[in-house]
Amino acid sequence: MEASCVTHIGICVRDMDKSLVFYRDALGMNVLGDRPTDPTEGGRLHNYKHKRTARRWVSLSFGEGKSPTLTLTSHPGDQPDGEPILLDQVGISHISFGVEDVKGLAEELMAKGVELAGPLEAFTNANGEINSIYVHDPDGIMVQFN
């Protein structure tokens, strides 16, 4: 098998509106689509921990036609369970985006009220450079920028 790229990353969120404030408004991602979907479509129901009756699907990217996209899903009327994992636990521990100016982004995010996942000094190397930062989304999922 030879895959050409990662097409999307899917994240289940507790509150779609709060997540959109973070991903769309704070990070500047563009909403490509936002619609209700049937959680049983495509024979997916066996991939759920609990029976779900509704699903909201939102696709975002950092520009039209850019890949990979980020797919957020929520289950209106149902309470999701589970906790985000940390970097040393099995599973997808974070998502990461490449940016031109990590330090500038850190300053912009902090000005918007987004807390870094640690003090700014922890991300600063001996030369005073910031090559990578982490933040948490509203559900505690780690998002890295490098």
Side-chain angles (χ1 to χ4, degrees):
M1 180 193 94
E2 219 177 288
S4 60
C5 66
V6 173
T7 61
H8 72 277
I9 299 162
I11 299 174
C12 182
V13 300
R14 294 183 198 291
D15 184 321
M16 184 65 76
D17 294 326
K18 282 184 181 177
S19 292
L20 286 174
V21 166
F22 177 77
Y23 288 102
R24 181 195 58 214
D25 302 342
L27 301 187
M29 296 187 84
N30 301 316
V31 174
L32 305 177
D34 182 346
R35 67 177 188 263
T37 63
D38 180 352
T40 65
E41 73 183 348
R44 280 187 262 205
L45 204 52
H46 65 279
N47 290 318
Y48 285 84
K49 184 174 180 180
H50 307 287
K51 183 178 179 186
R52 301 294 182 183
T53 57
R55 180 176 181 250
R56 181 178 174 193
W57 169 94
V58 176
S59 179
L60 304 120
S61 77
F62 280 106
E64 198 66 39
K66 294 212 176 174
S67 185
T69 59
L70 180 63
T71 300
L72 303 179
T73 60
S74 65
H75 298 89
D78 292 337
Q79 189 62 267
D81 60 351
E83 297 299 323
I85 64 173
L86 299 176
L87 294 176
D88 61 344
Q89 295 177 294
V90 174
I92 297 173
S93 62
H94 68 287
I95 58 175
S96 181
F97 299 103
V99 297
E100 293 283 328
D101 179 7
V102 177
K103 183 177 182 182
L105 176 65
E107 291 167 354
E108 177 185 332
L109 291 175
M110 289 186 299
K112 291 179 178 178
V114 176
E115 291 184 32
L116 301 181
L120 190 59
E121 302 78 45
F123 300 107
T124 306
N125 66 21
N127 298 325
E129 302 164 330
I130 299 174
N131 297 315
S132 178
I133 61 168
Y134 287 92
V135 299
H136 290 107
D137 81 353
D139 288 298
I141 297 167
M142 276 193 268
V143 181
Q144 178 183 21
F145 297 93
N146 55 17

